[in-house]
Amino acid sequence: MKWDWNAVSGFMPHFWDGLRVTLEALALGSLLSFSLGLVWTLLMRTAARWVRWPVGVVTEFVRNTPLLVQLFFLFYVLPEWGLTFSALTTGVFAIGLHYSTYTMQVYRAGIEAVPAGQWEAATALNLPRRRTWTAVILPQAIRRVVPALGNYVISMLKDTPMLMVITVLEMLGQARLYSQQHFQFTEPVTVIGVAFILISYLASLLMRALERRLVR
């Protein structure tokens, strides 16, 4: 089998388009999963059972159903109920929602790892509850969970090819489209594989650097 550099050069414009969409989906999906995961965690710590119960049901349902099924439901079923969104918006929401149920558990573990003395000190200083969370508990908890959150960023990156099933042309979608049009599969798919390895490695380096900075 001969490697065709012309196929690589022909595919590169498609690759850059797919890379942009992949990184956009990853960035927005990560932001949504981190934010929503924290919201789930705080809601589950409320005293009101009528709040905890529905949040628990929703998060368990999302966590225990495949992301692929959720993508199909959001993109193909919701429009029948009058809720229609763009393919990329749907993909970002699906990834963010799905992974928020995992980051929720990460935040929970981080909060529980904060020493009890920190809570007692905040109480002794008569800090308001909101001030206790924002100034004392959450900064310490988030610092502890950065490595775990970084792992989920990489997991989300590796799940972005699933967006292809709802017509989002991320990297693999662009490779598939180009391959079908030009009957050249080896070069596009190889380029995509290398790109995923490099992006994952760079993301892990970034998270390590962030972790070191927060530990100071």
Side-chain angles (χ1 to χ4, degrees):
M1 181 179 61
K2 185 178 180 180
W3 181 264
D4 188 350
W5 287 105
N6 290 328
V8 175
S9 61
F11 172 65
M12 290 311 294
H14 302 271
F15 167 76
W16 294 119
D17 288 341
L19 177 62
R20 176 185 57 79
V21 173
T22 296
L23 294 180
E24 184 178 353
L26 176 63
L28 295 177
S30 298
L31 181 62
L32 179 60
S33 69
F34 294 163
S35 302
L36 196 55
L38 182 58
V39 171
W40 295 143
T41 303
L42 297 179
L43 289 177
M44 288 297 291
R45 294 184 64 88
T46 62
R49 186 175 180 181
W50 63 271
V51 174
R52 296 197 313 271
W53 187 83
V55 170
V57 169
V58 169
T59 54
E60 283 296 321
F61 176 80
V62 172
R63 184 165 54 245
N64 289 288
T65 54
L67 175 59
L68 191 59
V69 173
Q70 294 166 17
L71 284 167
F72 271 98
F73 181 85
L74 293 173
F75 191 68
Y76 295 107
V77 177
L78 285 188
E80 296 183 4
W81 299 347
L83 298 173
T84 304
F85 303 96
S86 70
L88 182 58
T89 300
T90 301
V92 167
F93 180 75
I95 289 178
L97 176 63
H98 185 80
Y99 276 93
S100 71
T101 61
Y102 294 96
T103 58
M104 164 190 172
Q105 299 300 327
V106 173
Y107 286 126
R108 180 187 60 78
I111 291 172
E112 292 178 354
V114 175
Q118 298 294 311
W119 296 89
E120 296 168 358
T123 302
L125 292 172
N126 199 29
L127 292 179
R129 184 172 180 81
R130 176 180 294 182
R131 180 70 174 169
T132 298
W133 277 103
T134 58
V136 180
I137 304 304
L138 288 181
Q140 296 183 63
I142 292 175
R143 190 177 297 118
R144 287 176 164 84
V145 302
V146 165
L149 293 178
N151 290 335
Y152 282 119
V153 171
I154 296 175
S155 295
M156 279 185 269
L157 170 66
K158 291 188 289 187
D159 276 346
T160 54
M162 289 191 187
L163 302 187
M164 180 174 55
V165 302
I166 58 170
T167 73
V168 175
L169 290 178
E170 39 65 60
M171 288 195 294
L172 186 59
Q174 289 284 2
R176 180 173 178 267
L177 181 62
Y178 181 87
S179 299
Q180 290 176 339
Q181 291 175 343
H182 297 84
F183 302 100
Q184 294 171 312
F185 294 88
T186 302
E187 293 81 4
V189 174
T190 302
V191 169
I192 295 304
V194 172
F196 271 108
I197 293 173
L198 291 177
I199 296 172
S200 298
Y201 181 66
L202 291 175
S204 65
L205 291 180
L206 179 62
M207 297 309 299
R208 289 174 192 169
L210 180 60
E211 180 184 358
R212 288 194 297 267
R213 185 178 181 83
L214 292 175
V215 168
R216 291 178 183 176

